[in-house]
């Protein structure tokens, strides 16, 4: 198979050739200009001197087609011919010089990516023919088309807005190439903002109780990277696709794996796929993705990257801002107020670090809200709020303006007795209660849990762990 096919040439096309020569895979050019034909052959490019708008001259297969002459009309004809000849391939088209609106509209209707204006051509085109930003969507589509049946997109248990939106977005990408897909989650959507998001936008996700794994030909994980770790899949379940922004601590298996810890939200990666593949999200999906980015980056103030800003800018014009305002201002549950009150009352302050055991809880998401609010205390840079329910201790940590990596702190403190994971500024943990539940009559379970957890946490803060060596786990934070 020809990896890259160049149709027509120009100064822009020649610049692309110089870059493509260093990339893996075969490059083949079809040009009808004798001068460019000779120049390309001198660069050891396999070149046919023929009409680039005539599909009879095309090779049998091509993965990426680049239309790059200076003639807008010829580029439109070549792009149309390439799309008809290779319906599943990536088509990137240069508008040419002195193009008119009709040319740009025609190219937009058939090409996956249109390069315009001229001053941006070189940088954009180089990215289109070889950079990871466009290689990833190509590999993603290949992985989707290789599935033997429908795709199940799995969010982590008790999903947050980023996981919810990412699951729906990846399902949308799959459906764009004819692969049926269902987004699902385990646990419950407990946080009031999360419930408001799903209800106000009428987002359609299934619970694990509503699906049968045997009905699916592929499994994708979003916003986490290990089957059976904080999701309802059996541990070790084979996974086909993984899209995540949490830092891994070891290899992540899958036909398609896109894990980018430098990005603030998984929704950012999903928006990139949609944009690169020319898939326009509807208002509901755009709103959910934008909210996912805003929540995971704390409105662009925490672990935010340039791609997060770019994705948000792209989504804003399609999102429903009125609905977002309603989502962001829901009523706070009495449980959340109660947990926050207990977190303040039972706080253990040591230097600029605060830990608080709130005892038995009914909503684990209240821990994250309490940890966020405790950061508002003067001279506090690290917070950890924890409690227990249904035989498990849950905890949520936050950090701001400090070198302490709370993700690594929780792993060091609690991984030996449970599981923990997250980022430098936000992390979560869960530990089975086990024998701790067998307390004596003169002891409270809350005091026993506090004695068990607090010293482990403060010791880990005092003696920060070394760089990670195993694979990370991801938990609601």
């Amino acid at each position: 198979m020809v990896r890259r096919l160049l149709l027509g040439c120009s100064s822009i096309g020649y610049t692309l050739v110089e870059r493509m020569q260093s990339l893996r895979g075969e490059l083949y050019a079809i040009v009808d200009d004798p001068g460019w034909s000779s120049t390309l052959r001198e660069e050891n490019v396999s070149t046919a001197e023929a009409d680039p708008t005539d599909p009879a001259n095309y090779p049998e297969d091509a993965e990426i087609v680049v239309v790059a002459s200076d003639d807008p009309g010829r580029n439109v004809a070549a792009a149309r011919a390439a799309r008809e000849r290779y319906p599943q391939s990536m088509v990137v088209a240069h508008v040419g010089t002195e193009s008119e609106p009709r040319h740009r509209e025609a190219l937009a209707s058939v090409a996956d990516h249109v390069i315009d204006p001229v001053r941006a051509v070189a940088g954009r085109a180089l990215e289109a023919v070889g950079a990871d930003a466009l290689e990833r969507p190509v590999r993603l589509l290949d992985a989707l088309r290789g599935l033997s049946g429908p795709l199940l997109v799995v969010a982590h248990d008790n999903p947050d807005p980023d996981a919810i939106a990412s699951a729906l977005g990846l399902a949308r990408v799959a459906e764009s190439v004819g692969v049926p897909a269902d987004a699902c989650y385990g646990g419950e959507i407990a946080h009031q903002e999360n419930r408001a998001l799903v209800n106000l936008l009428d987002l359609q996700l299934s619970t694990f109780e509503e699906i049968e794994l045997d009905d699916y030909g592929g499994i994708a994980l979003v916003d986490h990277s290990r089957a059976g770790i904080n999701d309802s899949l059996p541990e070790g379940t084979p996974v086909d696709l993984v899209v995540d922004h949490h830092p891994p601590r070891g290899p992540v298996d899958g036909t398609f794996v896109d894990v980018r810890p430098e990005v603030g939200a998984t929704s950012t990666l999903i928006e990139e796929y949609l944009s690169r593949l020319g898939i326009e999200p509807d208002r509901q999906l755009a709103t959910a993705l934008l909210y996912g980015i805003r929540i995971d980056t704390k409105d662009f103030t925490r672990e935010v990257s340039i791609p997060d800003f770019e994705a948000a800018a792209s989504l804003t014009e399609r999102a429903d801002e009125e609905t977002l305002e309603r989502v962001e201002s829901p009523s706070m549950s009495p449980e959340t107020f109660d947990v926050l009150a207990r977190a303040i009352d039972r706080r253990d302050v040591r230097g600029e670090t605060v830990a608080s055991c709130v005892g038995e809880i009914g909503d684990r998401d209240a821990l994250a809200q309490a940890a966020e609010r405790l950061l508002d205390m003067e001279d506090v840079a690290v917070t950890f709020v924890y409690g227990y329910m249904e035989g498990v201790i849950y905890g949520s940590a936050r950090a701001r303006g400090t070198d302490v990596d709370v993700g690594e702190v929780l792993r060091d403190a609690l991984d030996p007795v449970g599981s923990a994971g997250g980022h430098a500024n936000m992390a979560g943990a869960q530990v089975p209660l086990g024998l701790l539940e067998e307390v004596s009559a003169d002891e409270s379970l809350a005091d026993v849990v506090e004695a068990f957890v607090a010293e482990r946490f403060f010791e880990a803060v005092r003696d920060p762990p070394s760089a990670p060596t195993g694979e990370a786990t991801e938990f609601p934070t």
Side-chain angles (χ1 to χ4, degrees), residues 117-203:
V118 171
R119 63 187 177 184
V121 166
R124 294 284 183 171
L126 289 175
E127 184 178 79
V129 297
D132 283 345
L134 278 181
E135 291 283 352
R136 290 190 191 99
V138 171
R139 291 188 287 106
L140 172 58
L141 295 188
D142 285 344
L144 290 170
R145 294 188 184 107
L147 299 178
S148 61
L151 176 69
L152 182 65
V153 186
V154 181
H156 56 66
D157 283 351
N158 310 300
D160 58 8
D162 190 30
I164 292 168
S166 298
L168 293 169
L170 188 57
R172 175 70 180 88
V173 174
E175 290 163 356
S176 75
V177 291
V179 177
D182 293 320
C184 77
Y185 67 94
E188 60 179 338
I189 299 175
H191 196 295
Q192 59 264 22
E193 281 96 338
N194 301 353
R195 291 194 297 269
L197 176 74
V198 172
N199 293 334
L200 290 173
L201 292 177
D202 192 25
L203 302 179

Side-chain angles (χ1 to χ4, degrees), residues 54-372:
D54 185 355
N57 298 321
Y58 297 175
E60 182 177 350
D61 294 297
E63 193 166 333
I64 301 175
V65 180
V66 181
V67 180
S69 82
D70 281 330
D71 186 328
R74 300 279 283 172
N75 284 348
V76 170
R80 285 173 172 165
R83 172 56 67 214
E84 183 175 353
R85 182 72 171 79
Y86 311 113
Q88 304 301 322
S89 298
M90 177 75 75
V91 177
V92 180
H94 169 34
V95 296
T97 57
E98 300 181 0
S99 62
E100 300 174 6
R102 61 187 177 90
H103 297 126
R104 293 190 288 273
E105 291 172 7
L107 288 173
S109 69
V110 294
D112 297 292
H113 193 75
V114 178
I115 303 168
D116 185 35
V118 171
R119 63 187 177 184
V121 166
R124 294 284 183 171
L126 289 175
E127 184 178 79
V129 297
D132 283 345
L134 278 181
E135 291 283 352
R136 290 190 191 99
V138 171
R139 291 188 287 106
L140 172 58
L141 295 188
D142 285 344
L144 290 170
R145 294 188 184 107
L147 299 178
S148 61
L151 176 69
L152 182 65
V153 186
V154 181
H156 56 66
D157 283 351
N158 310 300
D160 58 8
D162 190 30
I164 292 168
S166 298
L168 293 169
L170 188 57
R172 175 70 180 88
V173 174
E175 290 163 356
S176 75
V177 291
V179 177
D182 293 320
C184 77
Y185 67 94
E188 60 179 338
I189 299 175
H191 196 295
Q192 59 264 22
E193 281 96 338
N194 301 353
R195 291 194 297 269
L197 176 74
V198 172
N199 293 334
L200 290 173
L201 292 177
D202 192 25
L203 302 179
Q204 301 300 311
L205 297 93
S206 300
T207 64
F208 259 89
E209 290 73 19
E210 297 173 316
I211 60 99
E212 291 288 341
L213 285 180
D214 291 342
D215 293 340
Y216 296 90
I219 292 176
L221 306 182
V222 293
D223 211 33
H224 69 302
S225 58
R226 288 176 57 190
I229 305 297
N230 197 35
D231 67 29
S232 297
L233 291 168
E235 190 167 352
T237 299
V239 173
D240 299 276
L241 300 92
V242 177
V243 183
D244 190 19
H245 78 115
H246 292 90
R249 305 178 78 193
V252 178
D253 296 327
T255 304
F256 174 82
V257 174
D258 187 3
V259 178
R260 283 183 261 171
E262 70 276 12
V263 173
T266 303
S267 292
T268 295
L269 309 185
I270 299 297
E271 189 283 330
E272 179 185 286
Y273 304 153
L274 296 171
S275 177
R276 298 294 183 184
L277 296 170
I279 303 169
E280 184 171 334
D282 59 26
R283 183 168 293 272
Q284 294 159 296
L285 179 56
T287 304
L289 289 168
L290 178 58
Y291 189 56
I293 296 170
R294 286 169 57 171
I295 288 296
D296 259 38
T297 63
K298 200 176 180 183
D299 270 332
F300 310 102
T301 63
R302 176 177 58 203
E303 297 184 349
V304 65
S305 67
I306 290 175
D308 297 310
F309 285 110
E310 293 176 338
S314 175
L315 292 165
T316 296
E317 63 179 349
R318 299 186 178 94
D320 186 337
E321 287 289 346
E322 182 178 343
T323 297
L324 274 183
E325 290 179 7
R326 295 172 63 192
V327 169
E328 292 172 330
S329 304
S331 58
M332 185 177 287
S333 69
E335 163 76 7
T336 300
F337 275 114
D338 186 45
V339 168
L340 178 57
R342 280 182 276 155
I344 295 171
D345 183 58
R346 295 177 62 96
R347 67 189 184 278
D348 182 354
V349 184
R350 306 188 191 183
E352 60 180 17
T353 301
V354 176
S356 186
C357 177
V358 298
E360 187 170 8
I361 58 174
D363 177 6
R364 58 190 291 190
D365 284 321
L367 299 173
Q369 295 178 78
E372 290 277 3

